[in-house]
Amino acid sequence: AAKAMVKVKVTTARGRGTRVAVAGSAPRRLSLSSIRAGGARARFSPGVVVFAAVERDSEREQDKGVSATSTPQLKVTREDLSTAALKEAERLLEEAETSKPEQLAEQLASATKRLRRVHKSKTRSFYPSSKAVQDAWTACLYSVDEMDVYSLDKVLQALAYSSSIRCLPDISLQILERVEDALARGDVMLRSPPNVVTTILGSFSRLNHSMSMELQEQFGQYLATRTGQFDVNDLVRTLSFLNKVPRFGGLKNRTLALCSTHIAKNVADLTANQISECMVAFAFSSFYPVANELKSMEDQFTESFFADLLQRGGKSTYDTRALMRLLKSYAKLRIQLPVFIVEGLSNLFSTSDPSDILKPKEAANLIWYFAKMNQYPGSVLLDAACECLLRFFGSDSHGQGGSNYVHVQHMSRISWGLAKLRHKPPEGMMKQLDAFAAKHVKKLTDSEVTQLIYGHALLDEPLCPKSLQSFCKYLMSKCKEVEGEEEELLSLRNLSVLLWSLTVLKVWEDGMGEELDSFWSVLGEQEGDLGYLNVRGKHALHVAASCGSKETDNELSKIPEQFRNGTFEGLEAIAREGGNASEIQREISQVLEKIMDDVQWRFSEDEGRSKELLTADFCIERGADSLPLCIEVDGPSHFFNNTLGQTGKTLFRNRVHSSNGWEVVCLPHFEWEQLQDDQEKEAYLKDLLKV
């Protein structure tokens, strides 16, 4: 291949090809694919002079029957393109100073577009040092009042482009204020076409600029009166942009209802990504679309998402982000995802490698969103998310960013989310999660650390002693006021949840009894503020205090007296409460009447709540030589969804009964439901109670 440096001058730049003068010869047409810069297509404007290396492969050309004197391939370096773009931008800005307002806006937008092709480091050094740039923006400041809405749109686009490369002019805020005044003046906004309004909103959102209340009202009025004139794609973009504008007051429900109706009528033109953006906009405005419109959007999302994802072999990160946005919106609205979408996701994850679809950050969010929806999506989805997180904890990718990185704040969400969904995580996962959270504990708030420990208690997952010590040390530091610092202290609610969780986890077995006692001491110092706790919160503390004292042989000496003995106000109200018996409990009561005529027993519904810490479903007195027996009928909420093991809360309930001198017998609902007739039920209870 023969290589040489030649001078190239662009003479025209239109159509599919570009005419260039090569080495003084006549202009020749080259396709854009033959002019490259670092792998990207080069774009030239007339009059730009660049240098390029000419590569010619005579053998290849002869093999193809092409003359060796045919048009050579040109390769332009990125450095050459950057220099050319800066010169072209400066030329446009110099001309803009003396142009009319409309031309000034056009040239500012064109110049900033060219600057976006240049490396940011070069642009940042060029921008403040160029007199043409400063003069052009100054001229723009004084010409805004004379511009029409199209020119104002161009100015906003130019500012948005400048913001994206972090080169906003010093007078950008003044320009924005004048643009706002010009848009709000008279009926300028109301006479604008919808596509222009959409791009104006897009510029405001990219600039992260809070619009004036007057302009916000005009946007709301515009949407309310002209929703039907919007192209559905522009309407989706408009809602998305409005959601990103800082401190936007929101649209009225009537306006959002009109938008929802228009979108539902034209939903076939939308992709899964666009529908998810609509739902996020609705969610952050606390707007619920009507059932039939929501159903049409869900159907289109399903068709678009699964068709596109399966077509690409399950590797479409673009649509995975759409899925995350949809889950986020449903979690925000506290509504559950349709069954057909959940089933489709389960089928997809069962037939594909989860790592091709989910990244660690997305896996953490998936758990959190379904927990906020209070919807168990099935073990396939949650197992895939846990598997993805396990790979993250076991890798060295902790320093990466983007969707490959899980922030330490996600640890509390994962712990609480799995507990809320009653999904037992894989063995060893929670210990790795603890280690990661303990390493970055100072980046967490006291609520996040408390939530993490609370999740462990509900999941019956013991904390690593070293991690637990780090968490307790950090939370104890939040209980003491430091002179000169204005940090918020550990709230009473978080302290109460922490005490209950540490008792459930039996931290004294890991040598953390003193730390638990210290937290009880902190609670005792705040007895004057205990009125802020509701009666149920106080009762939970009473149960934890009583059980902890008995299981540690009264080593917890700093428990406040009212929680040790249950002397706080409101306990009588809980004792008078009666629970509604389930159908299974009533059936068991009828069977017990037949098989235990000579034994004293009681059904908890008969007498309301007793004076015990926790009331069992059935209590049976068996004489002085035997411990009294309590029967607990455990419904679905007492078991993990994926293992049918008892949850941490249920196991703690059994411990409380045992500490009060009861023998505990648990009757799982799924065993009772398999019994066919009264004879089988009687035989089952006799065997269970050893009658």
Side-chain angles (χ1 to χ4, degrees):
K3 297 183 180 180
M5 290 300 296
V6 296
K7 189 173 184 179
V8 179
K9 180 165 183 171
V10 178
T11 56
T12 62
R14 62 175 182 268
R16 296 184 60 188
T18 300
R19 286 189 180 277
V20 295
V22 182
S25 63
R28 300 179 184 176
R29 180 174 292 277
L30 300 178
S31 66
L32 287 177
S33 60
S34 64
I35 304 178
R36 299 187 176 276
R41 291 187 178 183
R43 297 178 182 177
F44 298 98
S45 295
V48 177
V49 177
V50 297
F51 287 89
V54 178
E55 292 188 9
R56 298 182 61 184
D57 191 338
S58 299
E59 286 187 17
R60 182 184 299 174
E61 290 173 350
Q62 288 174 2
D63 290 342
K64 293 182 179 180
V66 180
S67 171
T69 59
S70 61
T71 303
Q73 295 285 323
L74 301 181
K75 286 195 176 179
V76 185
T77 65
R78 190 175 294 276
E79 185 75 20
D80 296 332
L81 287 179
S82 297
T83 303
L86 289 175
K87 287 183 179 180
E88 178 68 4
E90 191 164 27
R91 181 186 66 79
L92 287 170
L93 293 171
E94 286 173 353
E95 294 176 0
E97 297 174 34
T98 57
S99 302
K100 294 180 180 180
E102 291 76 10
Q103 294 174 332
L104 171 61
E106 180 67 36
Q107 287 170 309
L108 274 171
S110 299
T112 49
K113 282 181 183 178
R114 283 166 173 74
L115 291 176
R116 289 185 70 189
R117 301 175 195 154
V118 182
H119 194 274
K120 290 182 180 179
S121 59
K122 288 197 171 188
T123 309
R124 289 170 189 164
S125 61
F126 164 78
Y127 221 80
S129 61
S130 172
K131 184 176 180 299
V133 172
Q134 308 306 324
D135 291 345
W137 282 116
T138 303
C140 177
L141 176 65
Y142 295 107
S143 303
V144 166
D145 294 337
E146 303 174 27
M147 294 181 181
D148 58 14
V149 69
Y150 299 96
S151 299
L152 294 173
D153 181 26
K154 293 290 185 184
V155 171
L156 287 173
Q157 288 183 41
L159 287 171
Y161 290 140
S162 301
S163 176
S164 67
I165 56 178
R166 298 182 184 178
C167 289
L168 276 173
D170 297 334
I171 57 174
S172 60
L173 188 57
Q174 300 174 46
I175 295 173
L176 278 171
E177 289 174 351
R178 292 204 178 188
V179 169
E180 284 188 77
D181 293 340
L183 288 172
R185 191 182 304 123
D187 58 351
V188 173
M189 178 64 64
L190 297 177
R191 289 188 289 106
S192 305
N195 62 326
V196 174
V197 172
T198 301
T199 55
I200 288 174
L201 281 173
S203 298
F204 276 121
S205 68
R206 286 194 291 272
L207 286 165
N208 199 31
H209 177 72
S210 177
M211 298 184 295
S212 64
M213 292 303 298
E214 184 180 3
L215 192 56
Q216 289 187 30
E217 289 176 5
Q218 288 213 14
F219 274 119
Q221 184 181 355
Y222 185 93
L223 268 178
T225 55
R226 302 186 65 174
T227 301
Q229 299 177 21
F230 272 86
D231 176 78
V232 67
N233 294 282
D234 284 342
L235 183 58
V236 169
R237 292 171 59 211
T238 299
L239 291 174
S240 177
F241 292 148
L242 283 173
N243 189 49
K244 297 172 185 175
V245 173
R247 294 186 291 280
F248 183 73
L251 298 171
K252 296 180 180 179
N253 280 350
R254 177 178 174 276
T255 304
L256 289 168
L258 292 172
C259 295
S260 175
T261 301
H262 186 59
I263 290 169
K265 286 180 180 178
N266 302 277
V267 73
D269 298 332
L270 298 179
T271 64
N273 184 57
Q274 291 172 312
I275 294 171
S276 67
E277 287 183 347
C278 290
M279 290 304 303
V280 169
F282 291 150
F284 279 86
S285 297
S286 300
F287 172 75
Y288 296 82
V290 296
N292 62 327
E293 293 172 358
L294 182 61
K295 178 68 165 56
S296 64
M297 286 188 266
E298 291 169 347
D299 290 340
Q300 178 61 21
F301 177 89
T302 305
E303 181 179 348
S304 174
F305 176 80
F306 290 107
D308 183 59
L309 199 59
L310 293 174
Q311 185 177 1
R312 302 187 188 189
K315 298 183 179 181
S316 175
T317 56
Y318 179 80
D319 276 331
T320 303
R321 291 197 298 271
L323 172 64
M324 290 297 111
R325 277 195 291 268
L326 187 75
L327 294 178
K328 182 179 182 180
S329 64
Y330 275 66
K332 180 76 175 173
L333 291 171
R334 296 293 199 277
I335 57 178
Q336 294 190 348
L337 208 62
V339 175
F340 57 85
I341 293 183
V342 176
E343 290 177 350
L345 291 173
S346 298
N347 292 335
L348 180 65
F349 278 85
S350 62
T351 56
S352 307
D353 185 355
S355 61
D356 291 338
I357 306 172
L358 282 182
K359 300 297 182 184
K361 187 175 180 180
E362 293 164 348
N365 284 332
L366 184 141
I367 295 171
W368 171 251
Y369 293 149
F370 274 108
K372 296 288 281 184
M373 286 186 271
N374 196 23
Q375 178 181 11
Y376 186 71
S379 58
V380 174
L381 274 179
L382 294 179
D383 285 342
C386 291
E387 181 185 340
C388 184
L389 291 168
L390 268 173
R391 283 198 301 270
F392 168 77
F393 292 131
S395 68
D396 57 353
S397 60
H398 295 177
Q400 296 182 10
S403 59
N404 287 319
Y405 181 70
V406 182
H407 296 284
V408 66
Q409 285 78 12
H410 284 92
M411 300 302 107
S412 61
R413 295 182 175 186
I414 295 168
S415 177
W416 178 85
L418 290 173
K420 176 74 174 176
L421 296 169
R422 303 198 317 276
H423 185 86
K424 189 75 170 177
E427 186 177 355
M429 173 182 158
M430 297 305 290
K431 289 187 177 180
Q432 294 187 53
L433 182 148
D434 297 338
F436 182 77
K439 185 178 178 181
H440 306 282
V441 67
K442 292 185 178 179
K443 296 181 181 179
L444 295 170
T445 64
D446 57 333
S447 296
E448 289 168 340
V449 177
T450 304
Q451 192 178 56
L452 187 149
I453 298 173
Y454 180 62
H456 276 73
L458 296 179
L459 289 168
D460 189 33
E461 288 282 344
L463 279 154
C464 169
K466 187 176 179 181
S467 300
L468 179 60
Q469 193 169 13
S470 298
F471 297 146
C472 289
K473 183 179 178 181
Y474 173 76
L475 291 173
M476 185 56 70
S477 69
K478 294 286 186 179
C479 297
K480 302 174 183 177
E481 293 185 3
V482 180
E483 190 175 350
E485 296 184 8
E486 297 184 357
E487 286 191 13
E488 290 188 10
L489 298 178
L490 185 66
S491 69
L492 192 60
R493 180 182 179 279
N494 287 336
L495 180 58
S496 304
V497 173
L498 176 67
L499 286 167
W500 185 88
S501 303
L502 294 177
T503 304
V504 172
L505 291 168
K506 296 191 284 189
V507 295
W508 51 85
E509 294 183 353
D510 295 321
M512 300 288 289
E514 290 185 9
E515 285 79 358
L516 176 58
D517 213 17
S518 299
F519 285 116
W520 280 114
S521 175
V522 172
L523 182 68
E525 295 170 2
Q526 301 183 32
E527 279 192 290
D529 299 327
L530 290 178
Y532 293 106
L533 284 178
N534 59 31
V535 178
R536 292 192 178 279
K538 292 178 181 178
H539 181 259
L541 285 173
H542 174 41
V543 172
S546 178
C547 183
S549 296
K550 292 174 182 177
E551 291 185 342
T552 60
D553 295 328
N554 295 316
E555 290 183 5
L556 300 176
S557 58
K558 298 178 182 178
I559 298 176
E561 197 65 25
Q562 62 173 308
F563 295 117
R564 186 186 297 274
N565 300 325
T567 56
F568 55 86
E569 294 182 3
L571 185 60
E572 297 81 5
I574 291 182
R576 288 194 299 268
E577 285 184 354
N580 294 324
S582 66
E583 188 64 30
I584 295 179
Q585 289 173 332
R586 295 187 182 281
E587 289 180 4
I588 294 173
S589 175
Q590 294 172 2
V591 176
L592 285 175
E593 288 179 354
K594 296 180 181 179
I595 66 174
M596 305 196 70
D597 290 334
D598 57 340
V599 179
Q600 184 180 358
W601 66 278
R602 73 175 186 269
F603 181 22
S604 60
E605 191 188 41
D606 297 337
E607 304 176 10
R609 288 186 177 271
S610 68
K611 295 182 180 179
E612 302 293 343
L613 281 176
L614 293 176
T615 303
D617 293 327
F618 298 93
C619 304
I620 300 174
E621 303 290 345
R622 300 190 295 183
D625 297 334
S626 302
L627 290 175
L629 181 72
C630 68
I631 304 175
E632 288 286 5
V633 181
D634 291 340
S637 63
H638 292 274
F639 300 94
F640 290 112
N641 285 306
N642 59 328
T643 65
L644 292 183
Q646 290 182 318
T647 63
K649 193 172 183 178
T650 302
L651 293 173
F652 180 58
R653 177 206 64 189
N654 297 343
R655 282 169 49 198
V656 173
H657 287 324
S658 298
S659 68
N660 286 330
W662 291 84
E663 182 182 342
V664 185
V665 174
C666 296
L667 194 158
H669 71 98
F670 47 83
E671 292 185 1
W672 183 263
E673 289 168 351
Q674 292 178 359
L675 304 176
Q676 301 296 324
D677 51 34
D678 291 344
Q679 290 183 348
E680 289 187 4
K681 293 175 182 178
E682 290 179 16
Y684 177 84
L685 278 181
K686 286 181 179 179
D687 181 62
L688 184 70
L689 303 177
K690 300 176 183 177
V691 176

